[in-house]
Amino acid sequence: MTEAHNPSDTKQRRRSIWIPRMFHTLRARLIVSVALVHVVLMGLFTWEAVERQSQELHQELINQGHSLASLMVVASTNSLLSEDLASLDEVTRRVSDQADVVYGEIVDVRGYVLASTRAGRVGQAVGSAIEHNDNFPLAAGDRVFDLREDVRIGDSRVGFVALGLGTENLERALAATKAKGIQYIIIALIIGSIAAWLLSLAVTRNLNELTLAAGRIGGGDLNVRVGVTSYDETSTLAKAFNLMAASLQRSSREIQLEHRKRTEAERLACVGEMAASIAHEIRNPLAALINAVKLLGHTKLEADDRDAVTDIVNTESQRLQRILNDFLTFARLPAPSMLKGDLIETIEQTIELIRHDPLYDERITINRLYDDRSHCLFDPDQIRQVMLNLMLNAVQSITDKGQLILRVTRYGQRLNISIVDNGCGIPEEAVSEVSKPFFTTRKGGTGLGLSVVQRILAQHGTALSITTREGSGTEVSFELRVAN
Ligand SMILES: Nc1ncnc2c1ncn2[C@@H]1O[C@H](COP(=O)(O)OP(=O)(O)OP(=O)(O)O)[C@@H](O)[C@H]1O
Ligand SMILES: [Mg+2]
């Protein structure tokens, strides 16, 4: 059975390795890595040098000790036999003049010290167990390397010489080598860090440029390109980035061109559709007017009939005028002048306008559910027109008592505006029709209200959404961009 790989698991695991914040940058990581490599390599090199020097110096001391002891043996053999203490004393003194020699002693076969450079030792019985150590390492705290060599004539032993060599010079030389090694490590650390820093500068400078350029592309500036100054991998990345930006720019131009063509085609189609709708809309009032004018020209017309016909002329000509006015608002809608402003103010101004509408009276209550953060980007005049058309539709849908809810809610960077009524609602089959020009179910309505709303909202980069149930009510809503 195979287990599905979940990328969030890997992310979780990666996160669990705690890395200090300052090492999150590529520059810091590069500097630390190069410095670490320098320190480790120089550390190994120094350790190796100290080890080798230590072995050489120890061997040198051992050799020096053995040759001095041999010299002492040769120089003291006869004097030992004759127990010539003055000569033996001379031998030990001469030996102790040599570099590193701490003491020299000559002991006879019975174990008595005959000559010594150490005070109070002459005449003492030390036996044959005189302390000696001719091997390294020495015991802790021991700074003297002891040697002993027998004095023999033929096969018989006549005594022995003992010699002590100080290790201070040797230790000083090793300490000096260690100090030099540490100096080299520090120099390597500094040079390595500077080299890594310079390298990281070269790498991150190009990366920073790429990051800035990517940000500008994200902001919509497709003209941006990055300068390719190096011949490394970042330059390959920069070239790929420039190719991508150029391709994006080409696609964007093509899309714009396509969009312009389509908009133009849609505009022409819309003009044709509108012309047909207008012709249809004005045909009935125009026919009524023509008939009325004919009747008015009739001399035998009763006074009452004349008044009725005059009423028809008035009503139909007003209807014609309203159709033309609404159509002109719809057709000549200017581009919006987007401003940062408080949407609630615009909504409140619209409520004031509604209060003066003859249809609005005390039978309708208005509930306001406003978010405090209601500043957004919009054309106040056009959005007032939208709110007016939507609120009028809501008021007109309420036949008896009813209520209107005006809700403004912020979702991240969007502001949602909705108008809810508990009026007659829209039949399901009519929902897709209501936004089309001249669709109306209201006596005296032109059917252009929602068309104007849709056009204004489209110019604000948004659209109207309608949720309705026949007999229960309707909710219409749209969104606007929050002003930062
Ligand atoms: N809130 C609503 N409740 C019920 N029906 C609605 C609502 N809003 C719109 N409608 C329906 O949609 C139709 C079209 O509305 P629209 O605002 O475009 O035109 P109108 O209101 O008929 O006329 P006018 O051009 O004077 O606004 C209305 O006639 C009505 O049938
Ligand atoms: Mg309307």
Coordinates of all heavy atoms in Angstrom, one line a residue, residues 47-63 136 170 174:
W47 N 46.6 21.7 14.3 CA 46.7 20.5 15.2 C 47.8 19.6 14.7 O 48.6 19.1 15.5 CB 45.3 19.8 15.3 CG 45.3 18.6 16.2 CD1 45.3 18.6 17.6 CD2 45.3 17.3 15.8 NE1 45.3 17.3 18.0 CE2 45.3 16.5 16.9 CE3 45.4 16.6 14.5 CZ2 45.3 15.1 16.9 CZ3 45.4 15.3 14.5 CH2 45.4 14.5 15.7
E48 N 47.8 19.3 13.4 CA 48.7 18.4 12.8 C 50.1 19.0 12.9 O 51.1 18.2 13.3 CB 48.3 18.3 11.3 CG 49.4 17.7 10.3 CD 49.4 16.2 10.4 OE1 48.4 15.7 10.9 OE2 50.4 15.6 10.0
A49 N 50.3 20.3 12.8 CA 51.6 20.9 12.9 C 52.2 20.8 14.3 O 53.3 20.5 14.5 CB 51.6 22.4 12.4
V50 N 51.3 21.0 15.3 CA 51.7 21.0 16.7 C 52.1 19.5 17.1 O 53.1 19.3 17.7 CB 50.5 21.5 17.6 CG1 50.8 21.2 19.1 CG2 50.4 23.0 17.4
E51 N 51.3 18.6 16.6 CA 51.6 17.2 16.9 C 52.9 16.8 16.3 O 53.8 16.1 17.0 CB 50.5 16.3 16.2 CG 49.3 16.0 17.0 CD 49.6 15.3 18.3 OE1 50.1 14.1 18.3 OE2 49.4 15.9 19.4
R52 N 53.2 17.2 15.1 CA 54.5 16.8 14.4 C 55.6 17.4 15.1 O 56.6 16.8 15.5 CB 54.4 17.2 12.9 CG 55.5 16.4 12.2 CD 55.4 16.5 10.7 NE 54.2 16.9 10.1 CZ 54.0 18.1 9.5 NH1 54.9 19.0 9.6 NH2 52.8 18.4 9.0
Q53 N 55.5 18.7 15.5 CA 56.6 19.4 16.1 C 56.8 18.8 17.5 O 58.0 18.7 18.0 CB 56.2 20.9 16.3 CG 57.4 21.7 16.7 CD 57.0 23.1 17.1 OE1 55.9 23.4 17.4 NE2 58.0 24.0 17.0
S54 N 55.7 18.4 18.2 CA 55.9 17.9 19.5 C 56.7 16.6 19.5 O 57.6 16.4 20.3 CB 54.5 17.6 20.1 OG 54.5 16.7 21.1
Q55 N 56.4 15.7 18.5 CA 57.1 14.4 18.4 C 58.6 14.7 18.1 O 59.5 14.1 18.7 CB 56.6 13.6 17.2 CG 55.3 12.8 17.6 CD 54.6 12.2 16.5 OE1 55.2 12.1 15.4 NE2 53.4 11.8 16.7
E56 N 58.9 15.7 17.2 CA 60.3 16.0 16.8 C 61.1 16.5 18.0 O 62.2 16.1 18.3 CB 60.3 17.0 15.7 CG 60.0 16.4 14.3 CD 59.8 17.5 13.3 OE1 60.1 18.7 13.6 OE2 59.3 17.2 12.2
L57 N 60.4 17.4 18.8 CA 61.1 18.0 19.9 C 61.4 17.0 21.0 O 62.5 17.0 21.6 CB 60.3 19.2 20.5 CG 60.2 20.5 19.6 CD1 59.3 21.5 20.2 CD2 61.6 21.0 19.4
H58 N 60.4 16.1 21.2 CA 60.6 15.1 22.3 C 61.8 14.2 21.9 O 62.6 13.8 22.7 CB 59.3 14.2 22.4 CG 58.3 15.0 23.2 ND1 57.0 15.1 22.9 CD2 58.4 15.7 24.4 CE1 56.3 15.7 23.8 NE2 57.2 16.1 24.7
Q59 N 61.8 13.8 20.6 CA 62.8 12.9 20.1 C 64.2 13.5 20.2 O 65.2 12.9 20.7 CB 62.6 12.5 18.6 CG 63.3 11.3 18.1 CD 63.2 10.1 19.1 OE1 62.1 9.6 19.4 NE2 64.3 9.5 19.6
E60 N 64.2 14.8 19.9 CA 65.5 15.6 20.0 C 66.0 15.6 21.5 O 67.2 15.4 21.7 CB 65.2 17.1 19.6 CG 66.2 17.7 18.7 CD 65.7 19.0 18.2 OE1 65.8 20.0 18.9 OE2 65.1 19.0 17.0
L61 N 65.0 15.8 22.4 CA 65.4 15.9 23.8 C 66.0 14.5 24.3 O 66.9 14.4 25.0 CB 64.2 16.3 24.7 CG 64.5 16.8 26.1 CD1 65.1 18.2 26.0 CD2 63.2 16.9 26.9
I62 N 65.3 13.4 23.8 CA 65.7 12.1 24.2 C 67.1 11.8 23.7 O 68.0 11.4 24.4 CB 64.7 11.0 23.7 CG1 63.4 11.1 24.4 CG2 65.3 9.6 23.8 CD1 62.3 10.3 23.7
N63 N 67.3 12.2 22.4 CA 68.7 12.0 21.8 C 69.7 12.8 22.5 O 70.8 12.3 22.9 CB 68.7 12.4 20.3 CG 67.8 11.5 19.5 OD1 67.5 10.4 20.0 ND2 67.4 11.9 18.3
F136 N 58.4 9.5 27.1 CA 57.3 10.5 27.1 C 56.0 9.8 27.0 O 55.9 8.7 26.3 CB 57.5 11.6 26.0 CG 58.5 12.6 26.4 CD1 59.8 12.5 25.8 CD2 58.2 13.6 27.2 CE1 60.8 13.4 26.2 CE2 59.2 14.6 27.5 CZ 60.4 14.5 27.0
L170 N 61.0 23.1 25.5 CA 60.2 22.3 24.6 C 58.7 22.8 24.6 O 58.1 23.0 23.6 CB 60.3 20.8 25.0 CG 59.5 19.8 24.2 CD1 60.4 18.5 24.2 CD2 58.2 19.5 24.8
L174 N 56.3 24.6 21.8 CA 55.0 24.1 21.4 C 53.9 25.1 21.6 O 53.0 25.3 20.7 CB 54.6 22.8 22.2 CG 55.4 21.6 21.8 CD1 54.9 20.4 22.7 CD2 55.1 21.2 20.3

